[in-house]
Amino acid sequence: GESVGLHLPTLSVQEGDNSIINCAYSNSASDYFIWYKQESGKGPQFIIDIRSNMDKRQGQRVTVLLNKTVKHLSLQIAATQPGDSAVYFCADGWTGGGNKLTFGTGTQLKVEL
Amino acid sequence: DAGVIQSPRHEVTEMGQEVTLRCKPISGHDYLFWYRQTMMRGLELLIYFNNNVPIDDSGMPEDRFSAKMPNASFSTLKIQPSEPRDSAVYFCASSPITGGATEAFFGQGTRLTVV
């Protein structure tokens, strides 16, 4: 029979616009959260992280927001560029879990010129 | 540091053959992870080691899969016998001890095709 693959959510944005990618996690004990970027043919690369004692953290062109009440995480990319086109994964872990991370299914970001 | 190094980058093998994937973690990292990525299931943790000792292998799909870490700078993931449904990209990642959870650094992956 025909296999059914994961349907990756896709976000299409115009170059220069801001992008917002969302993620939900399920483990209430998670106290560490990471966003990874995966380009075609490569392994996931770290973008930014945040710990549960924070609700916002900013990096270069990226901001991560954490809402522990609803177990929601978002990644904001300012002035999106063609090089930002990739699949973005959130991952969560907890200090008692031995550095073990649980990954979300990912969001495909497409930047249109 | 060159980062996490995996070999081979691509592997094509026939069903029933043994496959061995290799990983060299970043020097000084105490944790090593093996992940599998497929369209069906996304990125799954198979097994991870701390100081060369397997800590959690609950993600290993079945007895055909085994992983070893004979020393701090080398790990293998073996599939024997291989089956077409094992076709996937296998990633190795490592992370340091920081007193809490921390990011994992990924290798480039091994794309395995079992025909």
Side-chain angles (χ1 to χ4, degrees):
Chain A
E2 195 175 55
S3 63
V4 178
L6 285 174
H7 175 65
L8 273 186
T10 299
L11 175 65
S12 294
V13 299
Q14 293 289 322
E15 182 181 5
D17 287 352
N18 296 334
S19 303
I20 300 176
I21 301 171
N22 297 303
C23 176
Y25 64 95
S26 59
N27 186 358
S28 300
S30 292
D31 56 8
Y32 180 65
F33 307 87
I34 309 178
W35 279 99
Y36 280 92
K37 173 186 180 183
Q38 187 176 22
E39 297 174 286
S40 180
K42 297 184 178 180
Q45 293 179 289
F46 172 88
I47 302 173
I48 191 168
D49 60 357
I50 188 169
R51 297 197 182 270
S52 59
N53 59 353
M54 304 171 68
D55 53 21
K56 180 178 180 180
R57 190 170 187 209
Q58 288 184 293
Q60 187 176 19
R61 281 202 308 119
V62 294
T63 301
V64 56
L65 299 178
L66 173 64
N67 185 330
K68 295 181 290 295
T69 303
V70 294
K71 297 201 280 289
H72 182 269
L73 199 63
S74 69
L75 176 70
Q76 301 177 2
I77 304 174
T80 313
Q81 303 169 358
D84 295 328
S85 293
V87 177
Y88 289 81
F89 293 94
C90 67
D92 63 284
W94 61 291
T95 307
N99 278 18
K100 177 178 171 180
L101 296 173
T102 300
F103 282 79
T105 54
T107 296
Q108 174 83 54
L109 176 65
K110 294 185 177 179
V111 181
E112 298 169 349
L113 303 178
Chain B
D1 199 310
V4 175
I5 299 173
Q6 292 186 246
S7 64
R9 288 296 310 276
H10 303 274
E11 176 80 38
V12 180
T13 191
E14 291 186 345
M15 181 174 63
Q17 296 298 306
E18 175 183 302
V19 175
T20 300
L21 311 181
R22 297 172 175 79
C23 175
K24 181 181 187 305
I26 294 173
S27 177
H29 282 191
D30 295 292
Y31 285 88
L32 184 139
F33 306 84
W34 282 101
Y35 286 88
R36 177 172 68 176
Q37 187 173 42
T38 62
M39 284 300 296
M40 288 285 290
R41 304 170 77 93
L43 200 59
E44 303 173 275
L45 177 65
L46 300 177
I47 184 171
Y48 78 97
F49 296 81
N50 180 20
N51 290 323
N52 314 336
V53 176
I55 302 300
D56 184 350
D57 65 354
S58 59
M60 295 287 260
E62 46 196 279
D63 291 345
R64 297 186 296 107
F65 286 69
S66 62
K68 295 182 180 178
M69 192 165 186
N71 57 62
S73 58
F74 184 66
S75 177
T76 59
L77 178 68
K78 184 180 293 187
I79 308 172
Q80 181 186 24
S82 58
E83 296 182 3
R85 61 194 169 116
D86 301 330
S87 297
V89 181
Y90 291 82
F91 288 103
C92 176
S94 69
S95 67
I97 279 188
T98 59
T102 187
E103 68 182 276
F105 296 79
F106 282 78
Q108 296 280 53
T110 295
R111 181 174 292 277
L112 173 65
T113 303
V114 183
V115 298

